[in-house]
Amino acid sequence: MSSYSFLAVVIVSVLCVRTVEGDVIDSPQNTSQLHVRNHVTVAIIGGTGDLARKKLWISLFHIYTNFPHYNFTFLGCGLMEPGPGQKRLKEIFLSTVACRDEACADKKEKFLHILQYHKVKTEDDYKALNLLIEKNAKENNEAGRLFYLSIPPFAYTDVAKKIHFCCRPVTKHPWMRIVLEKPFGSDTESAQVLADEISQYFSEDEIYRVDHYLGKTIVRSILPFRFSNRKMFEPLLNKDHIEHVEIALKEVNNVKDRVEFYDEYGTIRDVIQNHLTELLVLLAMELPENLSNHTEIQEKKLKLLGQIRPLTSAKQAVIGQYDSYANEVSSNKLNSTKASDTCTFAAAVVNIDSFRWQGVPFVLMSGKALDQQATYVKVVFKNNLFKFGQSRNFSEQRQIIFNIAGGDIRVPSILIPKTFEKPHIVDFETSEEPGMQHYYIMKPTNDIAAHHGLLLDVIHGKHSQFITKEHLVQSWKIWTPLLHKLSKTKPVIYPSNNIMQLSVLNFQFFKDRINFLGSGGDIVIDDQYSDNMFEHNVARIDNYFRQQKLTSGHLDDLFKKLSSDILLVADTAVRLQGVFHMAISGGKSPVRLLQHLAELGMSFPWRYTHIWFVDERCVALNDERSNFNMLESNLLQYVTIPYTNIHPMPVELHHGMCNASDNGDNLYEQYIQTSVPSKKFDLILLGAGTDGHTASLFPNQPSLYITSKLVTLATGVPRDVSERITMTLDLINQAENIAVLVAGREKHDIIHKLSYGVENATQYPITGVKPINGQMTWYIDNEALFG
C-alpha cells in the first residue's frame, strides 16, 4: 500500500540520549559514553517521493516538535541538481506541514532553516554524502546512522551496496540501521532472494522491514490489550469459545494511479500476505512473558506463523475484480492486449494447527471499490457463554472488535461487550457512541501516525514492530501455494461501489474452504457442515440506500438486527428521558419482528415503553386484520407492559367504525400532542408496499397532501379495508429514528425503482419520508434487495 520515488535522501540528525519511555538509546553497557555519543543520522531515501510527502515529513516534524531536547539537522538528497532540488524539497515541506499557532510556526521556520539538499546518484555522490555525515558526526559525537529506503524494491540491493561501501562509520561504535518498505518480493523465492541480497551488506540486526500497518495505534495496542487483560480474555481466546475471526480491509477507492504496480501484485500480495496476516499473528500468537522483550515477541510471532497451515487449494479463497479495472489497465498499458485477471477483491479462510486454535476459521478479506472504508479485526464468540445477570441475546454482545480505521465509529477504537468486566489498557479512555451502549468503547488518548511511531522505534532500536527475514519467508510460504493455484482462476466481476449489486461477492466459509454464495461448484451444504458453515454478506454493514443507512441480510438475521437496534434506541431514550415512545405500522413483515422483540424479555425496558400505532384499519380491534390484534397476538401477551402504555387508534367510538363525526383522528392527534414530547417519537417503524405506499398513505390519495394535521382519516384506500386512520408525513418526519422494514421477493421491483433515487411522494409515498432532524435506516432482506 506504499508509493515510492527514487528521488531524494533526507538526512535527519538527532541529538538525544533517551527514548520516549526514558530508555537509553545506546546499550546499557555504554552508559559512560552517553554524554559523548549522542548524534544520530537518519537518511530517508526517496524523501521527495509520494511516501515521504504524505507520511514521512510530517512524522519527522512531529518528532522534531515534540522532543524539544533534541537537536536536528536535515539533509535531503536526490537526482536533481542542488538548486532545483533545494527548491523542491522546501516546497514539499511547506505543503506538508500546517501550523495553527506561533509555537508551531516557530518550529517550522527552524526546521526549514536546517533543511538542505544534496544530490546523490553515483558512488561518488554517496561518498560526498558520507563526508557531510562525518562532518556532522564529529561536531556532535555520533551514536548511529539510519537509512530509510522509500524506493522501489528493485533498487534496494544497489542502494544498500552503495550505503554499505560509502556511508558506514569508520569505527564500530556507531550503529547502522536500514529500513525497507514493502513489498518484500512477490512469492517465497523472490522474497528469499531479496533478503539474501540485502544480507550481503547488512546484518539482520541492522535491517528493519516496515509493514506500516504495524505502526497504527490500534494494531500496536493488540498485544498490550491482551497482556493487560490476560486473566479475563486469554482463557477465552481458543477453539472452545471462538466461533471464527474476521480480519478485513475494505476500501471504497479503486487502484487510482497504482495500476501498473497493482496489476503485478493484486490484493493478496498487496494486502493479505502482509497487513492482514500480521493482524492475525498479533491476535493468535501466544503472549510473551514480558512485552519489553522484543526477541521473545519475535520468537512467538515466528512460532505462530509456522503453525499456520499453508493454503494449497483454490477452494480456500475466492477472488473478484471490479468492473472498470480492465479498462484502467488497458489505458495504462498501451502495448498490452491481454486481459488482466488480477484480483481486486479476495477472501481466504486460514487455519492454525495449534492446540489453542485448531478448527477455528480465520477469514481474511480485502478489496477495492467496495461499499465502505473500514479495517477491523472481529473476534466472534460461540453462543455458549452464560453469565448471571446478563441477557442471553448475543446479537450485539458476542464479539470483540479492534476497529483500526473507518467503520461505524470512524476513529480507531476497541469494542468490548459489557457482558465482560470493564477492561483496562494504558493510554486509552472509555467513551460512549449512539446505538452502541452494549459495548465498552475504548479510544486511544493519543492516536499517533503509523510512520511517526515506526520512525521512533527504529531510532530506539526496537525490532518488535518489524518483519524479520525468517518471518518474511515463513509468511510467503503460507500464501505462495495459493497464488500458484489461483493463477489460472478467473475473478468474479463485481460492480464498483454499487451497494445494490455487491451480493455477487457474498460468500460462505467453512473451517477449511470458502465459496461465493452464487457460485455453486462442488461444495454441498448438508448436515455434516451445519456446525461449521458461516456466511459473510459483503454488503451487509454500513451500506447506504437512497443516501440513508442500509442494513441488509437474510430475513431472520435482519429481524435480529432490527430488534437489537430497537433495544438500543429504547435503552438510550429511557436513560436520557425516562420513557420510550415507539409507533408501529401494520403489514405482514412486522409479525416476526414482534416475536423477536418478545424474546428480549426483561432485557427490554417494557415498563417505560409506550406503544403507538402509525395506522389502523377501520375494523374491530379484535379483528384479525387489525394492527392492534397483530400486536397483541405476537407481542403484548408475552411481555409485561403497563396497560396504560398501549395506545390503540380510536377507530370505533359513538357512531360506528371511523365515523367522521366522532373525530377519532383528531382525538389521537391531541393525545399525541399531550403525551409525546415535542411530537417527536423516539422510533417509528414503517414498511413499504409493492406500490410504494407506507403506513396507510397510498399513491395519489388525498391524505398525502394534508399538511395541517398530524393524524388523518384516509378514505378510498385501494385495499380490502378502504377506510383507515393514519399518521401524516408531517408527523412521521419529526421522529428521532425511522426504521423502514422491507422484506420478500415481491418487493424487489419497488426497491429497484427506489434505488435510482426517484423523488415523487405522490406516486411513491415512501419517498416522502424524510426525517427533519432524525435518522432513517432501511432494513431490507436479501430477497427484496437482490431479487
Side-chain angles (χ1 to χ4, degrees), residues 732-752:
I732 292 172
N733 286 331
Q734 294 183 53
E736 294 288 347
N737 296 277
I738 298 176
V740 182
L741 175 62
V742 188
R745 185 170 282 109
E746 70 276 8
K747 302 289 182 68
H748 176 64
D749 287 344
I750 186 63
I751 289 298
H752 183 68

Side-chain angles (χ1 to χ4, degrees), residues 21-53:
E21 295 82 359
D23 297 329
V24 175
I25 286 182
D26 223 331
S27 63
Q29 296 88 336
N30 293 333
T31 54
S32 62
Q33 304 179 36
L34 287 180
H35 297 292
V36 178
R37 301 189 180 281
N38 56 12
H39 178 268
V40 177
T41 299
V42 181
I44 301 182
I45 302 179
T48 58
D50 196 49
L51 178 64
R53 178 175 58 84

Side-chain angles (χ1 to χ4, degrees), residues 404-422:
I404 299 165
D408 272 335
I409 302 181
R410 309 293 180 189
V411 296
S413 51
I414 303 175
L415 284 70
I416 305 94
K418 289 186 177 178
T419 47
F420 296 103
E421 295 178 7
K422 186 176 180 179

Side-chain angles (χ1 to χ4, degrees), residues 511-555:
K511 286 183 178 179
D512 58 357
R513 45 187 156 172
I514 187 173
N515 68 283
F516 286 124
L517 282 175
S519 64
D522 58 0
I523 296 181
V524 179
I525 303 174
D526 55 28
D527 289 342
Q528 65 175 315
Y529 296 121
S530 61
D531 293 331
N532 306 325
M533 188 274 285
F534 314 93
E535 294 189 4
H536 186 95
N537 187 334
V538 174
R540 179 173 176 179
I541 301 174
D542 262 1
N543 293 326
Y544 288 86
F545 179 71
R546 294 180 57 82
Q547 300 182 334
Q548 292 147 340
K549 192 172 181 180
L550 165 69
T551 295
S552 64
H554 292 288
L555 188 57

Side-chain angles (χ1 to χ4, degrees), residues 467-478:
I467 312 299
T468 66
K469 178 179 178 179
E470 289 181 302
H471 188 134
L472 172 67
V473 174
Q474 188 61 46
S475 178
W476 274 115
K477 286 181 179 179
I478 296 168

